[in-house]
Amino acid sequence: MSKSKGRKLVYVPDEIVEEAKNVSRGRGESLNLFVSEVLRMALIANRLGYSPEQAAEFLEIMQAQRNLGGAFVPADVLIYLNTKGCEGDVEQLEKKWYESGKWHGKYLNEKFEDPVHALKKFLEATRWDLSEVEVRQNDCSVKFRCISTLLNGKATDLLAKFIEGAMHSMGYLTAKCDTMKGMILLDFEK
Amino acid sequence: MERKRKVRRKSFAAREDYLNSMNEIAKENELSLYGFVNQVFALTLRANELGINLNTLVDSRELLKSARERGFTLGLERLWYEMAELAYGKSEKKSLKSWFDAGVWFAKQYVTAEIDEPFEVFKNDLKIFTWNVPELELDREEDAVSVRVMSPRFTDAYTFLFTSFLEGALEAFGYKVGGKEISRGIIRLDAVRNQS
């Protein structure tokens, strides 16, 4: 940190200071350095368009994705696998996406206080082929609306299966499933 | 009259420019600087409990942005493996071609870009996008490249398909694979610069 920069006092509750001391000690850093780093990263997060809350949420989703065994695949290969590659095995393919969704949903259910919200965030963060993910949730029902200008018909159906799988492991049943190229409308009930 | 319980506070000395910027953000969000700083610390400590730090935020966002730009999709490794098995079982030739073409396409982005050391940038990006692969080494010496991949989770089909992807990428860089040693989860490739 530049010595020429001016310094100001910032107030923090005692309990947070104690915790921050433990963390900085664990990292082998001075408390001042830790404080400075926290503030710097908060400013970067803000520049990236995240509030502290959103930044933490995004990080949790990314961490969950790594824990779940997230992997990148070339988009063209995925298109091939979704269509020609598995042609004639539609049922089996749908089953695989559904099971993958179920597994995912089970993990989110264990890890997150609001697994439906986590699923929405997961879709927003990782499915960049979706231009819109809308989730309306009340006590016993959830409505999903996903829009994409990039997904073909088959890929749309498979993603819908994935969402169904995830929601089923969170204890929801499908009330309505309406898919067409680039659009998924799914209603679930407890 | 009942007295309000006071929260004990401590002060830190922090960089003035950081605090001034935070003050502005706090105002935009209708928070006091104290409230905003507390929020930031509370979330940092929560993230720390989960074993992540805020540096990861920048890295993860950059990673996703870069993956999107480079034509990758993020999903569950197990699902990719199962789908690859299914497709490979149906048509080895077509599946291998699909992966080979994807490798060519991926590498061409670097070959055709006006960047210094495109192979090195490609190598770094490939390592980043294959975060699920515990070992991936690409060594280039003059006119030869050797590749070594070890990934115990790869299925048989995925091993062959990923090899095809690498071959496609190497070809785009002008290398021809001469030696190959492949078994489930293990890939060794030796390529030399194509003279033609």
Side-chain angles (χ1 to χ4, degrees):
Chain A
M1 193 163 67
S2 161
K3 282 184 180 172
S4 62
K5 300 277 178 194
R7 294 169 82 88
K8 247 180 170 178
L9 288 180
V10 55
Y11 290 91
V12 182
D14 224 3
E15 60 197 55
I16 287 186
V17 175
E18 286 311 311
E19 226 183 307
K21 269 186 191 168
N22 289 336
V23 174
S24 59
R25 207 176 296 135
R27 290 185 187 177
E29 286 172 1
S30 72
L31 186 57
N32 270 347
L33 184 68
F34 177 72
V35 171
S36 190
E37 191 57 17
V38 168
L39 299 182
R40 190 177 70 83
M41 291 312 296
L43 293 173
I44 292 176
N46 184 70
R47 254 202 319 273
L48 293 172
Y50 294 108
S51 67
E53 190 75 46
Q54 285 168 328
E57 203 173 65
F58 174 76
L59 282 172
E60 264 187 84
I61 294 291
M62 285 305 289
Q63 185 70 7
Q65 182 66 8
R66 279 182 190 255
N67 292 346
L68 275 163
F72 290 100
V73 71
D76 284 345
V77 164
L78 182 60
I79 291 169
Y80 169 77
L81 293 174
N82 276 342
T83 50
K84 286 185 199 147
C86 301
E87 218 167 25
D89 282 324
V90 176
E91 244 177 71
Q92 222 182 327
L93 196 58
E94 285 183 348
K95 197 169 161 242
K96 289 196 186 301
W97 277 81
Y98 176 78
E99 279 168 2
S100 179
K102 271 197 101 167
W103 195 62
H104 202 114
K106 202 170 270 182
Y107 179 87
L108 296 181
N109 212 23
E110 291 293 321
K111 278 293 231 199
F112 290 86
E113 252 176 60
D114 183 348
V116 176
H117 180 70
L119 177 62
K120 176 185 188 279
K121 289 287 158 194
F122 160 79
L123 291 170
E124 282 175 345
T126 63
R127 292 299 304 240
W128 39 76
D129 40 9
L130 296 175
S131 47
E132 204 181 312
V133 180
E134 190 186 281
V135 178
R136 271 177 290 158
Q137 190 178 2
N138 63 34
D139 285 348
C140 49
S141 75
V142 177
K143 284 176 189 285
F144 266 86
R145 182 171 168 271
C146 301
I147 307 289
S148 168
T149 51
L150 300 172
L151 289 179
N152 62 27
K154 193 68 239 156
T156 308
D157 290 343
L158 292 172
L159 181 61
K161 283 284 165 206
F162 177 87
I163 297 172
E164 273 196 280
M167 291 299 287
H168 290 178
S169 35
M170 292 176 201
Y172 288 90
L173 295 172
T174 307
K176 192 184 104 182
C177 175
D178 189 1
T179 62
M180 64 174 92
K181 185 178 170 287
M183 188 184 283
I184 298 171
L185 303 169
L186 278 166
D187 292 359
F188 297 97
E189 278 168 11
K190 268 271 185 208
Chain B
M1 208 169 92
E2 201 184 339
R3 257 200 228 161
K4 265 194 178 176
R5 193 180 148 261
K6 273 195 172 177
V7 178
R8 286 166 60 94
R9 301 193 290 187
K10 274 191 177 163
S11 61
F12 289 118
R15 261 174 63 166
E16 193 174 5
D17 53 341
Y18 287 174
L19 287 174
N20 289 343
S21 302
M22 292 197 77
N23 199 21
E24 278 171 31
I25 302 167
K27 272 185 199 158
E28 282 166 21
N29 292 287
E30 292 173 6
L31 287 168
S32 64
L33 175 63
Y34 173 73
F36 185 55
V37 168
N38 281 351
Q39 211 182 67
V40 168
F41 271 94
L43 290 165
T44 306
L45 294 171
R46 189 175 124 206
N48 188 70
E49 268 171 37
L50 294 166
I52 44 187
N53 64 54
L54 284 178
N55 279 312
T56 321
L57 173 72
V58 183
D59 295 345
S60 301
R61 216 186 114 112
E62 282 302 310
L63 169 70
L64 293 186
K65 185 171 167 271
S66 174
R68 177 159 58 181
E69 285 169 1
R70 298 290 183 198
F72 280 81
T73 297
L74 180 60
L76 299 181
E77 189 179 22
R78 206 166 69 175
L79 178 62
W80 299 155
Y81 293 165
E82 287 179 0
M83 286 173 76
E85 286 289 327
L86 206 62
Y88 192 74
K90 272 185 86 69
S91 169
E92 283 183 23
K93 213 174 147 189
K94 283 184 190 165
S95 300
L96 287 169
K97 187 173 181 320
S98 156
W99 280 82
F100 185 89
D101 290 347
V104 172
W105 194 85
F106 175 56
K108 279 258 186 209
Q109 295 176 73
Y110 301 88
V111 175
T112 55
E114 284 182 16
I115 46 173
D116 294 332
E117 298 290 341
F119 190 83
E120 290 304 307
V121 182
F122 153 81
K123 192 172 102 175
N124 287 339
D125 281 0
L126 183 65
K127 280 189 177 183
I128 292 169
F129 297 144
T130 51
W131 67 10
N132 55 316
V133 177
E135 273 188 64
L136 188 144
E137 296 299 331
L138 280 97
D139 293 313
R140 189 171 60 152
E141 271 180 45
E142 294 177 3
D143 283 343
V145 173
S146 69
V147 182
R148 186 170 164 269
V149 178
M150 285 193 60
S151 183
R153 289 193 301 271
F154 274 12
T155 59
D156 283 321
Y158 204 86
T159 307
F160 287 116
L161 294 170
F162 192 66
T163 303
S164 189
F165 176 82
L166 293 170
E167 284 182 292
L170 289 173
E171 193 176 287
F173 273 102
Y175 293 95
K176 182 90 188 150
V177 174
K180 251 196 242 188
E181 219 184 292
I182 303 161
S183 53
R184 185 183 175 154
I186 300 172
I187 303 168
R188 282 174 191 275
L189 298 176
D190 289 307
V192 286
R193 191 169 281 288
N194 215 338
Q195 298 301 329
S196 56

